[in-house]
Every structure is written in structure tokens, then in C-alpha cells.
Amino acid sequence: MSVLDTNLLGGVHGGVIMKLVDDVAGVAAQRHSAGPTVTASMDEMAFIEPVHVGDLVHAHAQVNWTGRTSMEVGVRVLSEPWDKAGVPPKRVATAYLVFVAVDADGKPREVPPVSPETDEDKRRFAEAEIRRQHRLARREAILQSRAEHS
């Protein structure tokens, strides 16, 4: 991270990390679906530790869950000091994003299912289903509230 990425407090601006997260998640979604995808939502973004100028930042993405045309991608962001070898990377942020696969006309297209294999994959899949249920329930509650107040 460079000085151009900093906020007024001297740390790396959260928006810079968010763009990195969206870029990395998009690559994972496009590779999984074998074609273009668009970001539908960022379900959750947690900043755990600050990132400092000069830190080396790594982002790791994994498709946690798939529906018919959408998928959830989890991203873990790690950082380590640029000037100290052997220092273990620290987790600085996590995020969950939803992507929709699209065809050449921008219409949703089907995606291959994700097949959780390890216990960790199965946990991530189950938690992604919980987040999806919450997203759908929240959307329904908002639509109901709008209908009642219009």
C-alpha cells in the first residue's frame, strides 16, 4: 500500500481495501462460473485491524455457495510488514459478496454448483445459506414496510 492509499489518519483507506476485495471476489466468481459476473451486493465487510502504508496486502477469495445464477464469495484480507521477513500475516478484513453470472446481453445465466468437500467448506456453505436467508428476509421486510407506508 502506498501513501496515495491513505486516509486522514495515516492508515490505508477502507475504500481501497473494499475495491481490492471486490476485484478479488470478482475473479473467483468469474472463474467459478466460467464467464462474466457482476457484483450484486456486499453482504458484510468487517475491518479487523488497520493496514499501514508499506504493508504487503494479500486477499484470498472462495466461492462459498451457489444458487441458480448467483453465488456468495468470501474474502479474507491479510497484511504483513514490507520490511520484516518471517512475520506471520495478520487478518485485517473479511467480506462476503454476492455475484450474479451474466451472459453477453447482461441477463442472468446459470452457474455450476459449488460442492463443499472439507469440513471447512461445509461450514462456509452452511453459513452462506444463513446469510442468504437473512438477505431475503430483510428484503421482504423492507418491501412490506414500504407498502404499508405508501
Side-chain angles (χ1 to χ4, degrees):
M1 297 284 105
S2 76
V3 70
L4 297 175
D5 301 321
T6 60
N7 60 28
L8 295 174
L9 300 175
V12 173
H13 194 286
V16 172
I17 302 298
M18 290 175 81
K19 181 179 183 326
L20 174 66
V21 163
D22 188 40
D23 289 345
V24 171
V27 170
Q30 290 181 49
R31 283 186 170 187
H32 179 81
S33 70
T37 62
V38 295
T39 309
S41 70
M42 180 176 276
D43 197 41
E44 186 176 317
M45 179 84 199
F47 297 100
I48 302 162
E49 295 276 341
V51 177
H52 304 287
V53 171
D55 283 354
L56 303 175
V57 177
H58 312 269
H60 305 272
Q62 176 178 332
V63 176
N64 294 331
W65 174 92
T66 54
R68 192 175 61 77
T69 62
S70 64
M71 64 202 96
E72 182 196 90
V73 179
V75 180
R76 182 180 14 144
V77 183
L78 307 171
S79 77
E80 58 183 300
W82 68 272
D83 59 347
K84 296 177 185 156
V87 175
K90 62 181 177 179
R91 184 178 292 203
V92 295
T94 59
Y96 299 97
L97 298 88
V98 177
F99 286 82
V100 175
V102 295
D103 63 18
D105 297 321
K107 304 292 183 204
R109 63 181 173 81
E110 291 193 22
V111 299
V114 68
S115 300
E117 296 174 3
T118 67
D119 287 342
E120 176 74 7
D121 291 343
K122 291 172 186 172
R123 179 192 63 78
R124 292 171 70 100
F125 186 91
E127 290 175 6
E129 287 188 319
I130 293 167
R131 283 186 291 274
R132 180 175 186 273
Q133 291 168 359
H134 287 194
R135 278 191 304 276
L136 294 174
R138 182 177 59 238
R139 181 188 322 155
E140 181 59 35
I142 289 169
L143 291 174
Q144 184 176 350
S145 175
R146 287 179 182 172
E148 292 170 1
H149 294 96
S150 51

